[in-house]
Each structure stands twice: as structure tokens, then as C-alpha cells.
């Protein structure tokens, strides 16, 4: 499939997104954790350009191949901390919004609040939302994997 838009950039949108990213990355959350959250949401949504970019960005932040290959099976893999597991569970619950999905249960929320303060939790939630936003845009415009933004 060919991408639908050659140059979709709008300066106002770009500026707004930059402000959102600044808010996420000024929260004190480890950038590697933010990359894991981005990667997992993108995997759930099947967004190949975001999976591709997420892996590349995570590696730039020092993430290991071992952990990146295991994000898809984070529940069974021994490589993740309790805080990372809480963030990944929150990511999946907030991303899977199809009919009948339970969403963010009290247990998932309690785990997240036990591991992150309000500022960090707000940033993680915003990061999840931004990732889902980009996943849906990429799906709509048929953005190919492997393209640099």
C-alpha cells in the first residue's frame, strides 16, 4: 500500500504535539519506560511505523534487544520491574477499548498509583494517548514502517 499523504505537516499541529511531548518528557519518568509504553501500545494496535520507530528510539535511550523482544510477552518475561509492569498493564488496558474490554480496572489503577506519583502517572497516560493518536493517524494515512519522521 502506498502512503496517502506526501506532506501532512501543519505547523500548528506540529507545535502542539511538541508541547505535549515536552510535558511527557519533563515528568521525571525514565525515557526507557516511556519508550516501552509507546512500543506496547503500538504493538497492540498493529502500528508498524510506530513499532519500528519505537524500537529505534528505545535503543537510542539504551534499551536492550532482550527487553525489546520481550515487550510483547512482558507478563511472562523476567526482565521488567514492578513499575514497568504496572505501566505496561495500564498501557494495554487504556489501549484496548474495543467492545466489552474491561478497561483500566481498579487493580490496574492501584498498581499504577503505587508505582508513580501524580505527575509521572499523568505523563504516562498522556504518552499512551499520544501513541494511540499516532497509531490511528498512521493507519489512516497508510504511513509505512521504516520512514524517519
Amino acid at each position: 500500500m502506498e502512503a496517502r499523504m506526501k506532506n501532512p505537516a501543519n505547523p500548528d499541529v506540529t507545535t502542539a504535539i511538541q508541547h505535549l511531548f515536552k510535558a511527557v518528557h519533563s515528568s521525571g519518568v525514565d525515557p526507557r519506560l516511556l519508550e516501552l509504553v509507546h512500543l506496547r501500545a503500538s504493538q497492540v494496535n498493529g502500528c508498524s511505523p510506530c513499532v519500528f520507530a519505537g524500537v529505534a528510539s528505545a535503543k537510542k535511550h539504551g534499551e536492550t534487544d532482550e527487553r525489546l523482544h520481550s515487550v510483547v510477552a512482558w507478563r511472562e518475561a523476567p526482565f521488567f520491574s514492578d513499575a514497568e509492569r504496572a505501566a505496561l498493564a495500564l498501557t494495554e488496558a487504556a489501549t484496548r477499548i474495543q467492545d466489552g474490554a474491561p478497561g483500566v480496572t481498579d487493580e490496574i489503577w492501584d498498581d499504577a498509583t503505587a508505582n508513580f506519583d501524580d505527575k509521572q502517572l499523568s505523563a504516562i497516560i498522556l504518552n499512551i494517548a499520544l501513541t494511540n493518536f499516532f497509531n490511528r493517524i498512521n493507519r489512516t494515512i497508510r504511513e509505512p514502517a521504516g520512514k524517519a519522521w
Side-chain angles (χ1 to χ4, degrees):
M1 280 192 287
E2 186 176 329
R4 289 186 167 146
M5 295 181 75
K6 304 298 183 227
N7 186 9
N10 172 326
D12 292 335
V13 172
T14 301
T15 299
I17 290 169
Q18 288 171 341
H19 286 291
L20 292 170
F21 274 120
K22 183 179 178 182
V24 168
H25 291 281
S26 67
S27 65
V29 177
D30 183 340
R32 291 185 330 150
L33 174 61
L34 294 171
E35 295 297 344
L36 294 177
V37 164
H38 171 78
L39 178 58
R40 186 62 194 127
S42 298
Q43 288 172 335
V44 168
N45 288 325
C47 182
S48 65
C50 284
V51 168
F52 181 89
V55 167
S57 184
K59 284 184 167 193
K60 285 180 185 176
H61 284 99
E63 195 54 81
T64 65
D65 285 335
E66 181 177 62
R67 284 168 42 96
L68 290 171
H69 288 299
S70 299
V71 169
V72 71
W74 63 269
R75 285 180 181 82
E76 294 80 23
F79 311 120
F80 303 101
S81 70
D82 288 344
E84 290 166 334
R85 290 176 186 285
L88 290 168
L90 181 64
T91 300
E92 287 185 6
T95 298
R96 289 190 166 119
I97 57 173
Q98 73 276 17
D99 292 343
V104 178
T105 64
D106 289 343
E107 180 182 359
I108 290 169
W109 184 255
D110 291 346
D111 266 355
T113 60
N115 283 282
F116 303 101
D117 64 29
D118 288 346
K119 184 176 181 181
Q120 292 169 323
L121 190 55
S122 293
I124 291 168
I125 293 167
L126 181 56
N127 194 50
I128 294 166
L130 281 170
T131 299
N132 279 279
F133 170 77
F134 284 115
N135 292 167
R136 281 152 179 79
I137 289 172
N138 287 333
R139 180 73 173 237
T140 301
I141 65 171
R142 295 182 179 162
E143 185 72 19
K147 189 175 174 184
W149 293 306

